[in-house]
mmCIF file with all atom_site columns, all heavy atoms in Angstrom:
data_model
loop_
_atom_site.group_PDB
_atom_site.id
_atom_site.type_symbol
_atom_site.label_atom_id
_atom_site.label_alt_id
_atom_site.label_comp_id
_atom_site.label_asym_id
_atom_site.label_entity_id
_atom_site.label_seq_id
_atom_site.pdbx_PDB_ins_code
_atom_site.Cartn_x
_atom_site.Cartn_y
_atom_site.Cartn_z
_atom_site.occupancy
_atom_site.B_iso_or_equiv
_atom_site.pdbx_formal_charge
_atom_site.auth_seq_id
_atom_site.auth_comp_id
_atom_site.auth_asym_id
_atom_site.auth_atom_id
_atom_site.pdbx_PDB_model_num
ATOM 1   N N   . CYS H 1 7   ? -6.625  8.237  10.093 1.00 0.00 ? 29  CYS H N   1
ATOM 2   C CA  . CYS H 1 7   ? -7.849  7.949  10.906 1.00 0.00 ? 29  CYS H CA  1
ATOM 3   C C   . CYS H 1 7   ? -8.998  7.925  10.160 1.00 0.00 ? 29  CYS H C   1
ATOM 4   O O   . CYS H 1 7   ? -8.878  8.177  8.924  1.00 0.00 ? 29  CYS H O   1
ATOM 5   C CB  . CYS H 1 7   ? -7.910  8.972  12.097 1.00 0.00 ? 29  CYS H CB  1
ATOM 6   S SG  . CYS H 1 7   ? -8.240  10.630 11.599 1.00 0.00 ? 29  CYS H SG  1
ATOM 7   N N   . ARG H 1 8   ? -10.162 7.807  10.821 1.00 0.00 ? 30  ARG H N   1
ATOM 8   C CA  . ARG H 1 8   ? -11.389 7.986  10.161 1.00 0.00 ? 30  ARG H CA  1
ATOM 9   C C   . ARG H 1 8   ? -11.776 9.533  10.266 1.00 0.00 ? 30  ARG H C   1
ATOM 10  O O   . ARG H 1 8   ? -11.504 10.106 11.228 1.00 0.00 ? 30  ARG H O   1
ATOM 11  C CB  . ARG H 1 8   ? -12.514 7.176  10.732 1.00 0.00 ? 30  ARG H CB  1
ATOM 12  C CG  . ARG H 1 8   ? -12.364 5.684  10.404 1.00 0.00 ? 30  ARG H CG  1
ATOM 13  C CD  . ARG H 1 8   ? -13.304 4.841  11.018 1.00 0.00 ? 30  ARG H CD  1
ATOM 14  N NE  . ARG H 1 8   ? -14.612 5.247  10.444 1.00 0.00 ? 30  ARG H NE  1
ATOM 15  C CZ  . ARG H 1 8   ? -15.244 4.898  9.247  1.00 0.00 ? 30  ARG H CZ  1
ATOM 16  N NH1 . ARG H 1 8   ? -14.510 4.233  8.404  1.00 0.00 ? 30  ARG H NH1 1
ATOM 17  N NH2 . ARG H 1 8   ? -16.318 5.416  8.989  1.00 0.00 ? 30  ARG H NH2 1
ATOM 18  N N   . VAL H 1 9   ? -12.402 10.135 9.192  1.00 0.00 ? 31  VAL H N   1
ATOM 19  C CA  . VAL H 1 9   ? -12.788 11.558 9.304  1.00 0.00 ? 31  VAL H CA  1
ATOM 20  C C   . VAL H 1 9   ? -13.650 11.736 10.636 1.00 0.00 ? 31  VAL H C   1
ATOM 21  O O   . VAL H 1 9   ? -13.385 12.804 11.209 1.00 0.00 ? 31  VAL H O   1
ATOM 22  C CB  . VAL H 1 9   ? -13.466 11.953 8.070  1.00 0.00 ? 31  VAL H CB  1
ATOM 23  C CG1 . VAL H 1 9   ? -14.001 13.253 8.198  1.00 0.00 ? 31  VAL H CG1 1
ATOM 24  C CG2 . VAL H 1 9   ? -12.661 11.851 6.897  1.00 0.00 ? 31  VAL H CG2 1
ATOM 25  N N   . ASP H 1 10  ? -14.444 10.897 10.985 1.00 0.00 ? 32  ASP H N   1
ATOM 26  C CA  . ASP H 1 10  ? -15.300 11.239 12.112 1.00 0.00 ? 32  ASP H CA  1
ATOM 27  C C   . ASP H 1 10  ? -14.519 11.119 13.411 1.00 0.00 ? 32  ASP H C   1
ATOM 28  O O   . ASP H 1 10  ? -15.128 11.371 14.556 1.00 0.00 ? 32  ASP H O   1
ATOM 29  C CB  . ASP H 1 10  ? -16.530 10.208 12.128 1.00 0.00 ? 32  ASP H CB  1
ATOM 30  C CG  . ASP H 1 10  ? -16.176 8.764  12.127 1.00 0.00 ? 32  ASP H CG  1
ATOM 31  O OD1 . ASP H 1 10  ? -15.127 8.337  12.307 1.00 0.00 ? 32  ASP H OD1 1
ATOM 32  O OD2 . ASP H 1 10  ? -17.183 7.944  12.023 1.00 0.00 ? 32  ASP H OD2 1
ATOM 33  N N   . GLU H 1 11  ? -13.273 10.708 13.397 1.00 0.00 ? 33  GLU H N   1
ATOM 34  C CA  . GLU H 1 11  ? -12.523 10.754 14.694 1.00 0.00 ? 33  GLU H CA  1
ATOM 35  C C   . GLU H 1 11  ? -11.871 12.075 14.807 1.00 0.00 ? 33  GLU H C   1
ATOM 36  O O   . GLU H 1 11  ? -11.103 12.213 15.905 1.00 0.00 ? 33  GLU H O   1
ATOM 37  C CB  . GLU H 1 11  ? -11.410 9.628  14.544 1.00 0.00 ? 33  GLU H CB  1
ATOM 38  C CG  . GLU H 1 11  ? -12.100 8.182  14.499 1.00 0.00 ? 33  GLU H CG  1
ATOM 39  C CD  . GLU H 1 11  ? -10.895 7.114  14.346 1.00 0.00 ? 33  GLU H CD  1
ATOM 40  O OE1 . GLU H 1 11  ? -10.196 7.164  13.347 1.00 0.00 ? 33  GLU H OE1 1
ATOM 41  O OE2 . GLU H 1 11  ? -10.987 6.186  15.053 1.00 0.00 ? 33  GLU H OE2 1
ATOM 42  N N   . LEU H 1 12  ? -11.991 12.963 13.846 1.00 0.00 ? 34  LEU H N   1
ATOM 43  C CA  . LEU H 1 12  ? -11.452 14.305 13.993 1.00 0.00 ? 34  LEU H CA  1
ATOM 44  C C   . LEU H 1 12  ? -12.373 15.206 14.671 1.00 0.00 ? 34  LEU H C   1
ATOM 45  O O   . LEU H 1 12  ? -13.554 15.105 14.247 1.00 0.00 ? 34  LEU H O   1
ATOM 46  C CB  . LEU H 1 12  ? -10.973 14.833 12.615 1.00 0.00 ? 34  LEU H CB  1
ATOM 47  C CG  . LEU H 1 12  ? -9.839  14.212 11.957 1.00 0.00 ? 34  LEU H CG  1
ATOM 48  C CD1 . LEU H 1 12  ? -9.714  14.638 10.413 1.00 0.00 ? 34  LEU H CD1 1
ATOM 49  C CD2 . LEU H 1 12  ? -8.542  14.403 12.583 1.00 0.00 ? 34  LEU H CD2 1
ATOM 50  N N   . PRO H 1 13  ? -12.035 16.145 15.526 1.00 0.00 ? 35  PRO H N   1
ATOM 51  C CA  . PRO H 1 13  ? -13.020 17.147 15.985 1.00 0.00 ? 35  PRO H CA  1
ATOM 52  C C   . PRO H 1 13  ? -13.584 18.018 14.720 1.00 0.00 ? 35  PRO H C   1
ATOM 53  O O   . PRO H 1 13  ? -12.794 18.351 13.997 1.00 0.00 ? 35  PRO H O   1
ATOM 54  C CB  . PRO H 1 13  ? -12.153 17.985 16.938 1.00 0.00 ? 35  PRO H CB  1
ATOM 55  C CG  . PRO H 1 13  ? -10.756 17.599 16.696 1.00 0.00 ? 35  PRO H CG  1
ATOM 56  C CD  . PRO H 1 13  ? -10.661 16.368 15.978 1.00 0.00 ? 35  PRO H CD  1
ATOM 57  N N   . PRO H 1 14  ? -14.854 18.198 14.856 1.00 0.00 ? 36  PRO H N   1
ATOM 58  C CA  . PRO H 1 14  ? -15.553 18.889 13.807 1.00 0.00 ? 36  PRO H CA  1
ATOM 59  C C   . PRO H 1 14  ? -14.877 20.195 13.428 1.00 0.00 ? 36  PRO H C   1
ATOM 60  O O   . PRO H 1 14  ? -14.882 20.668 12.247 1.00 0.00 ? 36  PRO H O   1
ATOM 61  C CB  . PRO H 1 14  ? -16.927 18.934 14.230 1.00 0.00 ? 36  PRO H CB  1
ATOM 62  C CG  . PRO H 1 14  ? -17.134 18.063 15.189 1.00 0.00 ? 36  PRO H CG  1
ATOM 63  C CD  . PRO H 1 14  ? -15.813 17.786 15.849 1.00 0.00 ? 36  PRO H CD  1
ATOM 64  N N   . ASN H 1 15  ? -14.370 21.037 14.393 1.00 0.00 ? 37  ASN H N   1
ATOM 65  C CA  . ASN H 1 15  ? -13.825 22.198 14.216 1.00 0.00 ? 37  ASN H CA  1
ATOM 66  C C   . ASN H 1 15  ? -12.571 22.299 15.053 1.00 0.00 ? 37  ASN H C   1
ATOM 67  O O   . ASN H 1 15  ? -12.421 23.146 16.026 1.00 0.00 ? 37  ASN H O   1
ATOM 68  C CB  . ASN H 1 15  ? -14.689 23.366 14.622 1.00 0.00 ? 37  ASN H CB  1
ATOM 69  C CG  . ASN H 1 15  ? -15.802 23.483 13.566 1.00 0.00 ? 37  ASN H CG  1
ATOM 70  O OD1 . ASN H 1 15  ? -15.548 23.823 12.465 1.00 0.00 ? 37  ASN H OD1 1
ATOM 71  N ND2 . ASN H 1 15  ? -17.100 23.245 14.081 1.00 0.00 ? 37  ASN H ND2 1
ATOM 72  N N   . GLY H 1 16  ? -11.633 21.445 14.647 1.00 0.00 ? 38  GLY H N   1
ATOM 73  C CA  . GLY H 1 16  ? -10.278 21.327 15.475 1.00 0.00 ? 38  GLY H CA  1
ATOM 74  C C   . GLY H 1 16  ? -9.269  20.734 14.742 1.00 0.00 ? 38  GLY H C   1
ATOM 75  O O   . GLY H 1 16  ? -9.206  20.762 13.475 1.00 0.00 ? 38  GLY H O   1
ATOM 76  N N   . ALA H 1 17  ? -8.298  20.255 15.457 1.00 0.00 ? 39  ALA H N   1
ATOM 77  C CA  . ALA H 1 17  ? -7.038  19.839 14.736 1.00 0.00 ? 39  ALA H CA  1
ATOM 78  C C   . ALA H 1 17  ? -6.439  18.557 15.571 1.00 0.00 ? 39  ALA H C   1
ATOM 79  O O   . ALA H 1 17  ? -6.663  18.501 16.682 1.00 0.00 ? 39  ALA H O   1
ATOM 80  C CB  . ALA H 1 17  ? -5.924  20.803 14.688 1.00 0.00 ? 39  ALA H CB  1
ATOM 81  N N   . ARG H 1 18  ? -5.759  17.780 14.889 1.00 0.00 ? 40  ARG H N   1
ATOM 82  C CA  . ARG H 1 18  ? -5.216  16.585 15.416 1.00 0.00 ? 40  ARG H CA  1
ATOM 83  C C   . ARG H 1 18  ? -3.741  16.242 14.770 1.00 0.00 ? 40  ARG H C   1
ATOM 84  O O   . ARG H 1 18  ? -3.708  16.323 13.627 1.00 0.00 ? 40  ARG H O   1
ATOM 85  C CB  . ARG H 1 18  ? -6.173  15.339 15.318 1.00 0.00 ? 40  ARG H CB  1
ATOM 86  C CG  . ARG H 1 18  ? -5.579  14.105 16.019 1.00 0.00 ? 40  ARG H CG  1
ATOM 87  C CD  . ARG H 1 18  ? -6.591  12.989 16.045 1.00 0.00 ? 40  ARG H CD  1
ATOM 88  N NE  . ARG H 1 18  ? -5.920  11.778 16.277 1.00 0.00 ? 40  ARG H NE  1
ATOM 89  C CZ  . ARG H 1 18  ? -6.529  10.714 15.852 1.00 0.00 ? 40  ARG H CZ  1
ATOM 90  N NH1 . ARG H 1 18  ? -7.769  10.592 15.440 1.00 0.00 ? 40  ARG H NH1 1
ATOM 91  N NH2 . ARG H 1 18  ? -5.974  9.429  16.176 1.00 0.00 ? 40  ARG H NH2 1
ATOM 92  N N   . GLY H 1 19  ? -2.745  15.941 15.668 1.00 0.00 ? 41  GLY H N   1
ATOM 93  C CA  . GLY H 1 19  ? -1.494  15.588 15.126 1.00 0.00 ? 41  GLY H CA  1
ATOM 94  C C   . GLY H 1 19  ? -1.386  13.924 14.924 1.00 0.00 ? 41  GLY H C   1
ATOM 95  O O   . GLY H 1 19  ? -2.108  13.287 15.481 1.00 0.00 ? 41  GLY H O   1
ATOM 96  N N   . PHE H 1 20  ? -0.422  13.667 13.907 1.00 0.00 ? 42  PHE H N   1
ATOM 97  C CA  . PHE H 1 20  ? -0.275  12.364 13.656 1.00 0.00 ? 42  PHE H CA  1
ATOM 98  C C   . PHE H 1 20  ? 1.210   11.890 13.436 1.00 0.00 ? 42  PHE H C   1
ATOM 99  O O   . PHE H 1 20  ? 2.049   12.834 13.050 1.00 0.00 ? 42  PHE H O   1
ATOM 100 C CB  . PHE H 1 20  ? -0.894  11.909 12.204 1.00 0.00 ? 42  PHE H CB  1
ATOM 101 C CG  . PHE H 1 20  ? -2.417  12.108 12.326 1.00 0.00 ? 42  PHE H CG  1
ATOM 102 C CD1 . PHE H 1 20  ? -3.146  13.246 12.074 1.00 0.00 ? 42  PHE H CD1 1
ATOM 103 C CD2 . PHE H 1 20  ? -3.182  10.981 12.762 1.00 0.00 ? 42  PHE H CD2 1
ATOM 104 C CE1 . PHE H 1 20  ? -4.434  13.389 12.105 1.00 0.00 ? 42  PHE H CE1 1
ATOM 105 C CE2 . PHE H 1 20  ? -4.561  11.177 12.940 1.00 0.00 ? 42  PHE H CE2 1
ATOM 106 C CZ  . PHE H 1 20  ? -5.104  12.282 12.583 1.00 0.00 ? 42  PHE H CZ  1
ATOM 107 N N   . VAL H 1 32  ? -3.753  17.584 10.875 1.00 0.00 ? 54  VAL H N   1
ATOM 108 C CA  . VAL H 1 32  ? -4.931  17.698 10.115 1.00 0.00 ? 54  VAL H CA  1
ATOM 109 C C   . VAL H 1 32  ? -5.898  18.677 10.798 1.00 0.00 ? 54  VAL H C   1
ATOM 110 O O   . VAL H 1 32  ? -6.108  18.517 12.000 1.00 0.00 ? 54  VAL H O   1
ATOM 111 C CB  . VAL H 1 32  ? -5.642  16.502 9.741  1.00 0.00 ? 54  VAL H CB  1
ATOM 112 C CG1 . VAL H 1 32  ? -6.921  16.669 8.911  1.00 0.00 ? 54  VAL H CG1 1
ATOM 113 C CG2 . VAL H 1 32  ? -4.729  15.517 9.066  1.00 0.00 ? 54  VAL H CG2 1
ATOM 114 N N   . VAL H 1 33  ? -6.288  19.691 10.151 1.00 0.00 ? 55  VAL H N   1
ATOM 115 C CA  . VAL H 1 33  ? -7.382  20.609 10.679 1.00 0.00 ? 55  VAL H CA  1
ATOM 116 C C   . VAL H 1 33  ? -8.564  20.319 9.923  1.00 0.00 ? 55  VAL H C   1
ATOM 117 O O   . VAL H 1 33  ? -8.623  20.207 8.642  1.00 0.00 ? 55  VAL H O   1
ATOM 118 C CB  . VAL H 1 33  ? -6.988  22.106 10.222 1.00 0.00 ? 55  VAL H CB  1
ATOM 119 C CG1 . VAL H 1 33  ? -7.971  23.077 10.888 1.00 0.00 ? 55  VAL H CG1 1
ATOM 120 C CG2 . VAL H 1 33  ? -5.591  22.468 10.953 1.00 0.00 ? 55  VAL H CG2 1
ATOM 121 N N   . ARG H 1 34  ? -9.660  20.186 10.677 1.00 0.00 ? 56  ARG H N   1
ATOM 122 C CA  . ARG H 1 34  ? -11.036 19.935 10.160 1.00 0.00 ? 56  ARG H CA  1
ATOM 123 C C   . ARG H 1 34  ? -11.832 21.119 10.541 1.00 0.00 ? 56  ARG H C   1
ATOM 124 O O   . ARG H 1 34  ? -11.957 21.556 11.671 1.00 0.00 ? 56  ARG H O   1
ATOM 125 C CB  . ARG H 1 34  ? -11.583 18.626 10.666 1.00 0.00 ? 56  ARG H CB  1
ATOM 126 C CG  . ARG H 1 34  ? -12.948 18.333 10.196 1.00 0.00 ? 56  ARG H CG  1
ATOM 127 C CD  . ARG H 1 34  ? -13.573 17.019 10.711 1.00 0.00 ? 56  ARG H CD  1
ATOM 128 N NE  . ARG H 1 34  ? -14.968 16.751 10.291 1.00 0.00 ? 56  ARG H NE  1
ATOM 129 C CZ  . ARG H 1 34  ? -15.793 15.996 10.962 1.00 0.00 ? 56  ARG H CZ  1
ATOM 130 N NH1 . ARG H 1 34  ? -15.237 15.302 11.828 1.00 0.00 ? 56  ARG H NH1 1
ATOM 131 N NH2 . ARG H 1 34  ? -16.906 15.898 10.525 1.00 0.00 ? 56  ARG H NH2 1
ATOM 132 N N   . ARG H 1 35  ? -12.607 21.604 9.499  1.00 0.00 ? 57  ARG H N   1
ATOM 133 C CA  . ARG H 1 35  ? -13.658 22.675 9.737  1.00 0.00 ? 57  ARG H CA  1
ATOM 134 C C   . ARG H 1 35  ? -14.737 22.028 9.003  1.00 0.00 ? 57  ARG H C   1
ATOM 135 O O   . ARG H 1 35  ? -14.933 22.244 7.726  1.00 0.00 ? 57  ARG H O   1
ATOM 136 C CB  . ARG H 1 35  ? -13.198 24.023 9.254  1.00 0.00 ? 57  ARG H CB  1
ATOM 137 C CG  . ARG H 1 35  ? -12.193 24.508 10.149 1.00 0.00 ? 57  ARG H CG  1
ATOM 138 C CD  . ARG H 1 35  ? -11.925 25.971 10.100 1.00 0.00 ? 57  ARG H CD  1
ATOM 139 N NE  . ARG H 1 35  ? -11.874 26.534 8.645  1.00 0.00 ? 57  ARG H NE  1
ATOM 140 C CZ  . ARG H 1 35  ? -11.574 27.717 8.408  1.00 0.00 ? 57  ARG H CZ  1
ATOM 141 N NH1 . ARG H 1 35  ? -11.295 28.634 9.276  1.00 0.00 ? 57  ARG H NH1 1
ATOM 142 N NH2 . ARG H 1 35  ? -11.534 28.222 7.209  1.00 0.00 ? 57  ARG H NH2 1
ATOM 143 N N   . GLY H 1 36  ? -15.753 21.524 9.734  1.00 0.00 ? 58  GLY H N   1
ATOM 144 C CA  . GLY H 1 36  ? -16.814 20.849 9.099  1.00 0.00 ? 58  GLY H CA  1
ATOM 145 C C   . GLY H 1 36  ? -16.441 19.674 8.159  1.00 0.00 ? 58  GLY H C   1
ATOM 146 O O   . GLY H 1 36  ? -15.740 18.767 8.616  1.00 0.00 ? 58  GLY H O   1
ATOM 147 N N   . ASP H 1 37  ? -16.673 19.826 6.902  1.00 0.00 ? 59  ASP H N   1
ATOM 148 C CA  . ASP H 1 37  ? -16.179 18.792 5.824  1.00 0.00 ? 59  ASP H CA  1
ATOM 149 C C   . ASP H 1 37  ? -14.869 19.138 5.244  1.00 0.00 ? 59  ASP H C   1
ATOM 150 O O   . ASP H 1 37  ? -14.517 18.405 4.433  1.00 0.00 ? 59  ASP H O   1
ATOM 151 C CB  . ASP H 1 37  ? -17.364 18.497 4.895  1.00 0.00 ? 59  ASP H CB  1
ATOM 152 C CG  . ASP H 1 37  ? -18.738 17.927 5.300  1.00 0.00 ? 59  ASP H CG  1
ATOM 153 O OD1 . ASP H 1 37  ? -18.444 17.192 6.364  1.00 0.00 ? 59  ASP H OD1 1
ATOM 154 O OD2 . ASP H 1 37  ? -19.658 18.069 4.789  1.00 0.00 ? 59  ASP H OD2 1
ATOM 155 N N   . THR H 1 38  ? -14.337 20.243 5.575  1.00 0.00 ? 60  THR H N   1
ATOM 156 C CA  . THR H 1 38  ? -13.145 20.691 4.976  1.00 0.00 ? 60  THR H CA  1
ATOM 157 C C   . THR H 1 38  ? -11.953 20.290 5.813  1.00 0.00 ? 60  THR H C   1
ATOM 158 O O   . THR H 1 38  ? -11.934 20.424 6.946  1.00 0.00 ? 60  THR H O   1
ATOM 159 C CB  . THR H 1 38  ? -13.097 22.146 4.795  1.00 0.00 ? 60  THR H CB  1
ATOM 160 O OG1 . THR H 1 38  ? -14.186 22.676 4.044  1.00 0.00 ? 60  THR H OG1 1
ATOM 161 C CG2 . THR H 1 38  ? -11.822 22.751 4.192  1.00 0.00 ? 60  THR H CG2 1
ATOM 162 N N   . LEU H 1 39  ? -10.950 19.661 5.165  1.00 0.00 ? 61  LEU H N   1
ATOM 163 C CA  . LEU H 1 39  ? -9.873  18.993 5.783  1.00 0.00 ? 61  LEU H CA  1
ATOM 164 C C   . LEU H 1 39  ? -8.561  19.716 5.061  1.00 0.00 ? 61  LEU H C   1
ATOM 165 O O   . LEU H 1 39  ? -8.433  19.758 3.892  1.00 0.00 ? 61  LEU H O   1
ATOM 166 C CB  . LEU H 1 39  ? -9.811  17.474 5.681  1.00 0.00 ? 61  LEU H CB  1
ATOM 167 C CG  . LEU H 1 39  ? -11.010 16.790 6.091  1.00 0.00 ? 61  LEU H CG  1
ATOM 168 C CD1 . LEU H 1 39  ? -10.858 15.219 5.619  1.00 0.00 ? 61  LEU H CD1 1
ATOM 169 C CD2 . LEU H 1 39  ? -11.027 16.782 7.614  1.00 0.00 ? 61  LEU H CD2 1
ATOM 170 N N   . ARG H 1 40  ? -7.625  19.907 5.966  1.00 0.00 ? 62  ARG H N   1
ATOM 171 C CA  . ARG H 1 40  ? -6.257  20.465 5.528  1.00 0.00 ? 62  ARG H CA  1
ATOM 172 C C   . ARG H 1 40  ? -5.270  19.776 6.289  1.00 0.00 ? 62  ARG H C   1
ATOM 173 O O   . ARG H 1 40  ? -5.345  19.602 7.398  1.00 0.00 ? 62  ARG H O   1
ATOM 174 C CB  . ARG H 1 40  ? -6.151  21.996 5.648  1.00 0.00 ? 62  ARG H CB  1
ATOM 175 C CG  . ARG H 1 40  ? -7.179  22.877 4.912  1.00 0.00 ? 62  ARG H CG  1
ATOM 176 C CD  . ARG H 1 40  ? -6.758  22.978 3.498  1.00 0.00 ? 62  ARG H CD  1
ATOM 177 N NE  . ARG H 1 40  ? -7.646  23.922 2.742  1.00 0.00 ? 62  ARG H NE  1
ATOM 178 C CZ  . ARG H 1 40  ? -8.756  23.545 2.115  1.00 0.00 ? 62  ARG H CZ  1
ATOM 179 N NH1 . ARG H 1 40  ? -9.145  22.292 1.862  1.00 0.00 ? 62  ARG H NH1 1
ATOM 180 N NH2 . ARG H 1 40  ? -9.423  24.445 1.532  1.00 0.00 ? 62  ARG H NH2 1
ATOM 181 N N   . ARG H 1 57  ? 1.024   21.861 23.244 1.00 0.00 ? 79  ARG H N   1
ATOM 182 C CA  . ARG H 1 57  ? 0.500   20.492 23.729 1.00 0.00 ? 79  ARG H CA  1
ATOM 183 C C   . ARG H 1 57  ? -0.031  19.614 22.674 1.00 0.00 ? 79  ARG H C   1
ATOM 184 O O   . ARG H 1 57  ? -0.200  20.088 21.572 1.00 0.00 ? 79  ARG H O   1
ATOM 185 C CB  . ARG H 1 57  ? -0.474  20.800 24.924 1.00 0.00 ? 79  ARG H CB  1
ATOM 186 C CG  . ARG H 1 57  ? -1.802  21.366 24.386 1.00 0.00 ? 79  ARG H CG  1
ATOM 187 C CD  . ARG H 1 57  ? -2.842  21.378 25.418 1.00 0.00 ? 79  ARG H CD  1
ATOM 188 N NE  . ARG H 1 57  ? -3.942  22.204 24.958 1.00 0.00 ? 79  ARG H NE  1
ATOM 189 C CZ  . ARG H 1 57  ? -4.869  21.831 24.017 1.00 0.00 ? 79  ARG H CZ  1
ATOM 190 N NH1 . ARG H 1 57  ? -4.686  20.609 23.393 1.00 0.00 ? 79  ARG H NH1 1
ATOM 191 N NH2 . ARG H 1 57  ? -5.859  22.612 23.736 1.00 0.00 ? 79  ARG H NH2 1
ATOM 192 N N   . LYS H 1 58  ? -0.165  18.322 23.009 1.00 0.00 ? 80  LYS H N   1
ATOM 193 C CA  . LYS H 1 58  ? -0.711  17.377 22.002 1.00 0.00 ? 80  LYS H CA  1
ATOM 194 C C   . LYS H 1 58  ? -1.908  18.093 21.420 1.00 0.00 ? 80  LYS H C   1
ATOM 195 O O   . LYS H 1 58  ? -2.848  18.305 22.094 1.00 0.00 ? 80  LYS H O   1
ATOM 196 C CB  . LYS H 1 58  ? -0.998  16.076 22.716 1.00 0.00 ? 80  LYS H CB  1
ATOM 197 C CG  . LYS H 1 58  ? -1.670  14.939 21.874 1.00 0.00 ? 80  LYS H CG  1
ATOM 198 C CD  . LYS H 1 58  ? -0.639  14.474 20.777 1.00 0.00 ? 80  LYS H CD  1
ATOM 199 C CE  . LYS H 1 58  ? -1.363  13.427 20.009 1.00 0.00 ? 80  LYS H CE  1
ATOM 200 N NZ  . LYS H 1 58  ? -1.012  13.298 18.533 1.00 0.00 ? 80  LYS H NZ  1
ATOM 201 N N   . ASP H 1 59  ? -2.088  18.074 20.115 1.00 0.00 ? 81  ASP H N   1
ATOM 202 C CA  . ASP H 1 59  ? -3.092  18.564 19.371 1.00 0.00 ? 81  ASP H CA  1
ATOM 203 C C   . ASP H 1 59  ? -3.472  20.025 19.519 1.00 0.00 ? 81  ASP H C   1
ATOM 204 O O   . ASP H 1 59  ? -4.573  20.374 19.085 1.00 0.00 ? 81  ASP H O   1
ATOM 205 C CB  . ASP H 1 59  ? -4.407  17.561 19.590 1.00 0.00 ? 81  ASP H CB  1
ATOM 206 C CG  . ASP H 1 59  ? -4.136  16.231 19.103 1.00 0.00 ? 81  ASP H CG  1
ATOM 207 O OD1 . ASP H 1 59  ? -3.301  15.935 18.311 1.00 0.00 ? 81  ASP H OD1 1
ATOM 208 O OD2 . ASP H 1 59  ? -4.723  15.389 19.792 1.00 0.00 ? 81  ASP H OD2 1
ATOM 209 N N   . GLY H 1 60  ? -2.599  20.772 20.133 1.00 0.00 ? 82  GLY H N   1
ATOM 210 C CA  . GLY H 1 60  ? -2.826  22.098 20.375 1.00 0.00 ? 82  GLY H CA  1
ATOM 211 C C   . GLY H 1 60  ? -2.372  23.092 19.178 1.00 0.00 ? 82  GLY H C   1
ATOM 212 O O   . GLY H 1 60  ? -1.461  23.973 19.461 1.00 0.00 ? 82  GLY H O   1
ATOM 213 N N   . TYR H 1 61  ? -2.895  22.973 18.074 1.00 0.00 ? 83  TYR H N   1
ATOM 214 C CA  . TYR H 1 61  ? -2.555  23.619 16.802 1.00 0.00 ? 83  TYR H CA  1
ATOM 215 C C   . TYR H 1 61  ? -3.194  24.982 16.511 1.00 0.00 ? 83  TYR H C   1
ATOM 216 O O   . TYR H 1 61  ? -2.882  25.692 15.743 1.00 0.00 ? 83  TYR H O   1
ATOM 217 C CB  . TYR H 1 61  ? -2.583  22.702 15.546 1.00 0.00 ? 83  TYR H CB  1
ATOM 218 C CG  . TYR H 1 61  ? -1.739  21.475 15.655 1.00 0.00 ? 83  TYR H CG  1
ATOM 219 C CD1 . TYR H 1 61  ? -2.160  20.294 16.138 1.00 0.00 ? 83  TYR H CD1 1
ATOM 220 C CD2 . TYR H 1 61  ? -0.332  21.584 15.369 1.00 0.00 ? 83  TYR H CD2 1
ATOM 221 C CE1 . TYR H 1 61  ? -1.336  19.255 16.317 1.00 0.00 ? 83  TYR H CE1 1
ATOM 222 C CE2 . TYR H 1 61  ? 0.551   20.562 15.550 1.00 0.00 ? 83  TYR H CE2 1
ATOM 223 C CZ  . TYR H 1 61  ? -0.030  19.281 15.960 1.00 0.00 ? 83  TYR H CZ  1
ATOM 224 O OH  . TYR H 1 61  ? 0.808   18.218 16.096 1.00 0.00 ? 83  TYR H OH  1
ATOM 225 N N   . LEU H 1 62  ? -4.315  25.122 17.090 1.00 0.00 ? 84  LEU H N   1
ATOM 226 C CA  . LEU H 1 62  ? -5.357  26.288 16.800 1.00 0.00 ? 84  LEU H CA  1
ATOM 227 C C   . LEU H 1 62  ? -5.336  27.458 17.846 1.00 0.00 ? 84  LEU H C   1
ATOM 228 O O   . LEU H 1 62  ? -5.149  27.077 19.030 1.00 0.00 ? 84  LEU H O   1
ATOM 229 C CB  . LEU H 1 62  ? -6.562  25.792 16.453 1.00 0.00 ? 84  LEU H CB  1
ATOM 230 C CG  . LEU H 1 62  ? -6.854  24.763 15.492 1.00 0.00 ? 84  LEU H CG  1
ATOM 231 C CD1 . LEU H 1 62  ? -8.404  24.372 15.234 1.00 0.00 ? 84  LEU H CD1 1
ATOM 232 C CD2 . LEU H 1 62  ? -6.207  25.178 14.061 1.00 0.00 ? 84  LEU H CD2 1
ATOM 233 N N   . LEU H 1 108 ? -9.080  8.380  6.180  1.00 0.00 ? 130 LEU H N   1
ATOM 234 C CA  . LEU H 1 108 ? -8.249  9.382  5.771  1.00 0.00 ? 130 LEU H CA  1
ATOM 235 C C   . LEU H 1 108 ? -6.770  8.959  5.610  1.00 0.00 ? 130 LEU H C   1
ATOM 236 O O   . LEU H 1 108 ? -6.301  8.331  6.606  1.00 0.00 ? 130 LEU H O   1
ATOM 237 C CB  . LEU H 1 108 ? -8.318  10.539 6.695  1.00 0.00 ? 130 LEU H CB  1
ATOM 238 C CG  . LEU H 1 108 ? -7.690  11.916 6.329  1.00 0.00 ? 130 LEU H CG  1
ATOM 239 C CD1 . LEU H 1 108 ? -8.609  12.423 5.169  1.00 0.00 ? 130 LEU H CD1 1
ATOM 240 C CD2 . LEU H 1 108 ? -7.971  12.901 7.436  1.00 0.00 ? 130 LEU H CD2 1
#
Side-chain angles (χ1 to χ4, degrees):
C29 69
R30 296 182 49 81
V31 173
D32 60 8
E33 294 175 310
L34 294 169
N37 291 297
R40 182 173 162 197
F42 294 92
V54 176
V55 180
R56 178 180 177 195
R57 293 198 311 191
D59 289 332
T60 303
L61 303 168
R62 299 282 187 263
R79 62 171 169 73
K80 176 72 175 144
D81 301 331
Y83 296 97
L84 301 182
L130 195 60

